[in-house]
DNA sequence: ATACATCCAAGAGGGC
């Protein structure tokens, strides 16, 4: 074996290294001989040094010029950590290191132009920015000899990974050198796939090195008694089982907060960590872990990967993780020292939790991990074409196509699709095609605007162009100048009012002010009160495809750990759960088909049933799906049976149509259309390219057409048996716990109706949550208050904020009674006398009614009786002694007389509020 | 009661 440079050996001594770890030794040879290398080992095995040390050795031995090495890693926190770690070695050898991500101070970033770093640590987005936009620094990249991609398993299945794979090809083409590629990864299923993905068009020899991963771990699985207060039981159990310091993983942000609320009753040394609390609070919590202050930290996936958080004694998982990969990552956060054995516990609540827990632990022991799937998102190709044009000003078609197809992901992108794509981009003026040259189109910098405040309402910040991650609207919680956390905008609009107490980051906060234009909620610390925990909306975590198969094995082997569940089937004379049996359970409002099934097949079937139900029934239908089956709330007919009548061709058509109707497809469409430069409504003819791409992306993520057809064929042939049962099963119960899916209804008024339901919103809030401009929304709202509207709405004045709010007519009575709008409908003085001026629709004469607010409060029916027409065209109030009131009185248009009393009270409350305060 | 996470302008020119 080649001898490492003496200076490196010295440094190892300085670090007190007796030996290099196994993975470090194994990596030396392939890297030193210039091979592209994929290094696979669990966290904590020293993978970074395994790649770094041989590269530093080569850097010492050859006369390298900066930038020599690019180190790419997916998280900002990792960049900060790694920079220090790399700097330790590099600075002692005379090499400069620089980091780049969105939160690095400008000053530090500017430094790299003065002193070019030998090693640059950044994200995929950071590389994108440099190639596309950093005109000067880009030149320095021409010296790059090595690229390391860290945590590659985190990138591979996502658009970020696709983006990176193209970027590497762009880099290679730009510098004209086939640099050496090194990937670092945790245990993965398909090593060869990851390798091809990373190595792309490089013609270097390649090698995969890995350590024989010991799958040893200590794991206990407990099921808690669900009698009594389940939260108290969980808290008590955790208190008895926790070992300082522990990580307590949950599967949602809500649950981390909820669990903390219970645990802090027993012990103050528990903390919360998830993505919606501020960076500052997160780093505090991480510090508490390292210093030993924290007994336990309750967290989500945020702590699955990332920076060193010290020695964790025990991992507690509150309900099973969604996949084996995630289980191993979570467990791997304990026993971090190389030969330490990870120790953990899974707390189960439901029967199916127990099934998943045993299945996951079994799979982990067998060394089975989920396979990654790579899809071919054309929207990312579009972005990369644009990136190349930014880089070169002008790019030949041929060159753009060649670079794209040299990446592993787009290797099969046909010339036809490529041409369709660039012609479409040209049509939308994102690019201009002149002969065989592509250049930037006049719409590009309007869409990707430099100054969002001066831009059009639809324009995006230019910086967003570099990221493939789409972000949702959120409000930032601020206490004075400090960021506390973030809450979904929709949740703020629907549930938060000033004065409320909320719980976030494990602390209570009082809402002081909601600023919708700055998207900021001002809060103050509160020390008591029942804090409401916000709900954040995500995509839904899908469960591993390995689970239903492995759970079937557990049942086949009649494992004693799940004997309670087996008994429930045996005692009901039912066959044990299997992929070959569907138990059709008639439940309260829905039919549940319980079985063991791939989640994507279940999802496809649920969507088909929903589609069939909505075409027969109403818009109130919903369906559910999970690995335990699917359900539909339509009981008139057996829709699954009906499905068996169709032939394969018809089936396929129905499946596509159901998918096109699903919110999953629609949101995918909305997400990607911006990359194509398409704003507003999609046209089924004009925008076929986007529709096709969205359909393919949605299908690969959420559905499975082929497998579903095969599944239905199996039912037809009797290979899958359907058993009707007039009762319930544990798997059926699991299906009913899933959130229902609802049809996407075209037609803006239904969407407005759905959004308004149960609440009252301002125009700005509605426009924000619906993504419709205020102007067109207002026109629609005015239409919807007219008597002929299917969904009747009304507006009133929110006296506290003096804004107009809109709500459903049917909801007004409840809103009047709710404490949220108390001041808006309860006049300060209800003994004053007012005159209501009413005009009928299409009439010019007005009728006046004299009333005191008190009379309305006491007997609203009386004033309704005095109104001479059913529908009021215009209504406002007057004061017999103060004629000015008429001018400031709010006007109400198209009001049904049944709700008029409430609006009169609203007008009085508003006027008195103006007069007296 | 419900369903996670990640990312996001360079660099010239002016003022002190």
């Amino acid at each position: 074996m080649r001898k490492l440079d003496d200076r490196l050996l010295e440094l190892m001594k300085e670090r007190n290294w007796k030996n290099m770890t196994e993975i470090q030794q194994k990596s030396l040879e392939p890297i030193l001989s210039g091979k592209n290398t994929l290094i696979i080992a669990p966290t904590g095995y020293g993978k970074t040094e395994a790649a770094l040390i041989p590269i530093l050795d080569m850097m010492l031995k050859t006369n390298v010029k900066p930038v020599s090495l690019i180190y790419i890693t997916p998280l900002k926190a990792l960049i900060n950590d790694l920079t220090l770690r790399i700097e330790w070695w590099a600075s002692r050898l005379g090499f400069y290191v620089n980091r780049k991500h969105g939160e690095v101070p400008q000053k530090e970033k500017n430094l790299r132009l003065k002193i070019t770093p030998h090693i640059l640590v950044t994200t995929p987005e950071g590389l994108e920015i440099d190639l596309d936009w950093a005109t000067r620094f880009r030149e320095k990249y021409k010296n790059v000899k090595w690229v390391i991609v860290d945590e590659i398993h985190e990138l591979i299945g996502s658009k970020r990974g696709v983006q990176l794979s193209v970027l590497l090809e762009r880099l290679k083409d730009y510098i004209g050198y086939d640099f050496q590629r090194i990937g670092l990864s945790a245990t993965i299923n398909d090593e060869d796939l990851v390798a091809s993905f990373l190595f792309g068009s490089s013609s270097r020899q390649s090698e995969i090195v890995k350590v024989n991963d010991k799958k040893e771990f200590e794991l206990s699985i407990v099921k808690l008694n669900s009698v009594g207060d389940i939260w108290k039981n969980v808290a008590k159990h955790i208190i008895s089982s926790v070992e300082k310091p522990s990580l307590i993983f949950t599967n949602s942000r809500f649950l981390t907060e909820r669990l903390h609320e219970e645990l802090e009753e027993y012990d103050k040394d528990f903390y919360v960590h998830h993505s919606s609390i501020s960076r500052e609070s997160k780093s505090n919590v991480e510090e508490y872990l390292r210093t030993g202050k924290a007994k336990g930290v309750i967290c989500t996936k945020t702590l699955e990967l990332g920076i060193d958080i010290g020695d964790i004694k025990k991992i507690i998982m509150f309900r099973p993780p969604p996949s084996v990969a995630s289980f191993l990552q979570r467990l791997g956060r304990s026993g971090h020292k190389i030969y330490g054995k990870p120790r953990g516990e899974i707390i189960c609540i439901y029967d199916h939790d127990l099934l998943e827990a045993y299945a996951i632990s079994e799979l982990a022991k067998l060394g089975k991990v989920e396979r990654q799937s790579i899809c071919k998102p054309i929207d990312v190709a579009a972005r990369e074409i644009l990136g190349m044009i930014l880089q070169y000003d002008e790019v030949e078609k041929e060159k753009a196509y060649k670079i794209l197809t040299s990446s592993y992901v787009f290797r099969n992108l046909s010339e036809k699709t490529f041409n369709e794509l660039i012609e479409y981009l040209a049509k939308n003026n994102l690019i201009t095609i002149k002969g065989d040259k592509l250049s930037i189109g006049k719409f590009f910098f309007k869409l990707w605007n430099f100054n969002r405040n001066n831009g059009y309402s639809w324009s995006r910040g230019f910086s967003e162009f570099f990221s493939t991650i789409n972000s949702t609207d959120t409000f930032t919680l601020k206490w004075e100048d400090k960021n506390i956390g973030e809450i979904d905008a929709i949740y703020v609009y629907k549930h938060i009012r000033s004065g409320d107490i909320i719980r976030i980051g494990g602390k209570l906060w009082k809402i002081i002010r909601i600023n919708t234009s700055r998207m900021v909620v001002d809060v103050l610390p509160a020390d008591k009160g029942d804090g409401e925990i916000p709900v954040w909306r995500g995509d839904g975590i899908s469960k591993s495809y390995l689970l239903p198969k492995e759970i079937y094995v557990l049942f086949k082997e009649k494992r004693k750990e799940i004997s309670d569940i087996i008994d429930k089937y045996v005692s009901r004379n039912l066959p044990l759960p299997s992929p070959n049996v569907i138990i059709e359970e008639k439940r309260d409002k829905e039919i549940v088909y319980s079985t063991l099934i791939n989640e994507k097949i279940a999802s496809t079937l649920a969507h088909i049933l929903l589609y069939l139900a909505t075409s027969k029934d109403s818009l109130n239908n919903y369906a559910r799906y999970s690995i335990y089956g699917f359900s539909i709330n339509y009981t008139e007919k057996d829709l699954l049976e009906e499905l068996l009548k169709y032939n394969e061709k018809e089936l396929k058509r129905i499946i596509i149509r159901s998918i096109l109707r699903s919110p999953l497809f629609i949101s995918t469409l909305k997400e990607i259309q911006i990359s194509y430069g398409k704003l507003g409504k999609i046209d089924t003819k004009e925008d076929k390219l986007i529709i096709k791409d969205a359909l393919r992306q949605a299908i690969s993520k959420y559905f499975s057409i082929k497998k579903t057809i095969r599944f239905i064929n199996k039912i037809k042939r009797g290979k899958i048996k359907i058993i009707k049962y007039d009762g319930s099963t544990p798997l059926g119960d699991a299906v009913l716990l899933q959130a229902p899916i609802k049809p996407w209804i075209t037609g803006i008024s239904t969407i407005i109706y759905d959004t308004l339901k149960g609440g009252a919103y301002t125009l700005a809030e509605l426009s924000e949550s619906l993504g419709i401009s205020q102007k067109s929304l207002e026109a629609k709202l005015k239409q919807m208050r007219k008597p002929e509207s299917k969904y009747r709405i009304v507006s009133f004045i929110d006296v506290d904020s003096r804004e107009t709010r809109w709500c459903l007519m049917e909801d007004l009575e409840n809103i009047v009674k709710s404490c949220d709008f108390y001041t808006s409908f309860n006049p300060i003085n209800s003994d004053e006398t007012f005159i209501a001026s009413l005009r009928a629709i299409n009439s010019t004469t007005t009728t006046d009614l004299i009333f005191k607010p008190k009379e309305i409060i006491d007997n609203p029916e009386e004033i309704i009786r005095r109104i001479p027409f059913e529908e009021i065209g215009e209504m406002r109030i007057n004061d017999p002694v103060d004629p000015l009131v008429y001018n400031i009185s709010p006007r109400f248009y198209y009001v049904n007389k049944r709700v008029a009393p409430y609006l009169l009270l609203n007008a009085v409350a508003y006027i008195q509020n103006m007069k007296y305060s």
Side-chain angles (χ1 to χ4, degrees), chain A residues 651-694:
Chain A
L651 258 180
K652 205 171 166 186
R653 227 184 31 231
I654 292 175
I655 294 177
I656 298 279
R657 229 182 282 159
S658 329
I659 293 174
L660 288 172
R661 280 258 196 114
S662 71
L664 294 173
F665 166 75
I666 304 285
S667 59
T668 310
L669 195 63
K670 281 196 170 160
E671 200 184 295
I672 68 170
Q673 70 178 90
I674 199 82
S675 299
Y676 289 89
K678 174 74 188 179
L679 299 163
K681 223 175 154 188
I682 299 278
D683 185 299
T684 38
K685 283 213 178 92
E686 300 262 297
D687 307 311
K688 259 196 180 133
L689 200 62
I690 307 184
I691 295 177
K692 260 160 66 183
D693 189 24

Side-chain angles (χ1 to χ4, degrees), chain A residues 282-323:
Chain A
K282 274 190 281 189
S283 15
N284 285 340
V285 172
E286 288 154 16
E287 192 57 26
Y288 297 157
L289 272 174
R290 277 189 292 260
T291 57
K293 182 169 184 239
K295 186 168 233 174
V297 169
I298 311 153
C299 59
T300 55
K301 205 185 157 182
T302 28
L303 282 183
E304 235 179 68
L305 132 128
I307 59 162
D308 187 12
I309 39 172
D311 274 331
I312 304 295
K313 271 258 180 55
K314 188 171 182 183
I315 303 294
I316 298 175
M317 298 178 226
F318 176 62
R319 307 200 53 200
S323 67

Side-chain angles (χ1 to χ4, degrees), chain A residues 392-566:
Chain A
Y392 295 110
D393 291 332
E394 238 181 27
V395 186
E396 284 153 36
K397 269 191 214 171
E398 195 59 33
K399 178 173 170 171
Y401 179 67
K402 214 184 101 202
I403 293 178
L404 268 182
T405 47
S406 62
S407 77
Y408 179 77
V409 182
F410 294 117
R411 67 195 184 285
N412 293 327
L413 182 79
S414 72
E415 201 151 0
K416 186 171 159 262
T417 311
F418 174 81
N419 283 325
E420 273 171 20
L421 175 60
I422 56 171
E423 269 152 36
Y424 184 78
L425 294 176
K427 201 183 85 187
N428 286 342
N429 287 317
L430 275 191
I431 66 172
T432 307
I433 308 176
K434 262 194 204 128
D436 62 346
K437 296 257 171 62
L438 309 177
S439 56
I440 212 74
K442 58 175 186 285
F443 187 57
F444 183 88
F445 286 110
K446 284 189 183 147
L447 177 56
W448 302 102
N449 200 303
F450 286 80
N451 188 346
R452 221 176 301 167
N453 299 328
N454 290 340
Y456 303 91
S457 60
W458 38 258
S459 69
R460 302 287 178 105
F462 181 56
S463 55
E464 290 173 48
F465 171 76
F466 304 107
S467 172
T468 58
I469 302 168
N470 64 305
S471 42
T472 51
D473 279 331
T474 55
F475 274 84
T476 306
L477 253 56
K478 279 201 168 175
W479 170 34
E480 288 161 0
D481 273 341
K482 262 187 267 177
N483 282 1
I484 303 303
E486 290 192 333
I487 306 183
D488 286 358
I490 291 209
Y491 187 82
V492 173
Y493 296 143
K494 288 206 171 175
H495 298 285
I496 305 251
R497 300 286 172 262
S498 46
D500 288 356
I501 307 270
I502 61 159
R503 173 177 275 274
I504 186 168
K507 295 192 178 96
L508 296 171
W509 306 92
K510 186 171 179 160
I511 309 285
I512 302 303
R513 218 158 54 97
I514 300 170
N515 185 332
T516 41
S517 57
R518 280 171 50 231
M519 301 293 279
V520 166
V521 176
D522 290 310
V523 296
L524 281 178
D527 46 8
K528 56 181 178 201
D530 266 340
E532 188 180 346
I533 300 172
V535 174
W536 291 269
R537 273 182 74 94
D539 254 352
I541 306 176
S542 58
K543 280 183 183 146
S544 164
Y545 65 92
L546 295 173
L547 284 174
K549 294 182 197 172
E550 189 62 26
I551 291 172
Y552 178 46
V553 175
L554 297 179
F555 276 113
K556 261 202 308 205
E557 292 176 354
K558 297 213 170 75
R559 294 280 287 269
K560 64 173 192 310
E561 297 95 326
I562 59 164
S563 58
D564 281 357
I565 304 168
I566 292 178

Side-chain angles (χ1 to χ4, degrees), chain A residues 821-864:
Chain A
F821 300 107
Y822 183 84
T823 39
S824 299
F825 296 98
N826 289 277
I828 302 170
N829 176 1
S830 51
D831 267 330
E832 261 182 298
T833 303
F834 292 91
I835 302 167
S837 301
L838 312 172
R839 185 173 58 73
I841 295 172
N842 298 330
S843 153
T844 47
T845 51
T846 57
T847 310
D848 287 350
L849 296 178
I850 299 175
F851 72 95
K852 284 184 179 180
K854 210 175 96 191
E855 296 162 8
I856 299 186
I857 298 168
D858 292 344
N859 187 2
E861 287 303 321
E862 176 54 28
I863 193 111
I864 295 175

Side-chain angles (χ1 to χ4, degrees), chain A residues 267-298:
Chain A
D267 196 322
K268 291 281 171 208
D269 283 329
F270 284 98
Y271 300 91
V272 176
H273 195 288
H274 59 71
S275 68
S276 293
I277 61 177
S278 67
R279 180 156 301 277
E280 206 185 338
S281 328
K282 274 190 281 189
S283 15
N284 285 340
V285 172
E286 288 154 16
E287 192 57 26
Y288 297 157
L289 272 174
R290 277 189 292 260
T291 57
K293 182 169 184 239
K295 186 168 233 174
V297 169
I298 311 153

Side-chain angles (χ1 to χ4, degrees), chain A residues 685-743:
Chain A
K685 283 213 178 92
E686 300 262 297
D687 307 311
K688 259 196 180 133
L689 200 62
I690 307 184
I691 295 177
K692 260 160 66 183
D693 189 24
L695 192 57
R696 208 181 29 238
Q697 290 189 32
I699 290 172
S700 90
K701 211 168 160 190
Y702 309 108
F703 304 99
S704 177
I705 298 180
K706 264 191 210 156
K707 285 185 189 166
T708 302
I709 292 179
R710 220 178 296 151
F711 185 88
I712 294 172
N713 282 338
K714 274 191 184 168
I715 302 179
K716 282 185 189 169
R717 291 202 314 267
K719 295 237 170 178
I720 297 177
K721 288 199 182 68
I722 300 180
I723 295 173
K724 296 200 180 187
Y725 177 60
D726 232 1
S728 66
T729 67
L731 265 54
D733 290 343
V735 174
L736 289 177
L737 282 173
Q738 294 295 311
I741 50 168
K742 289 174 183 169

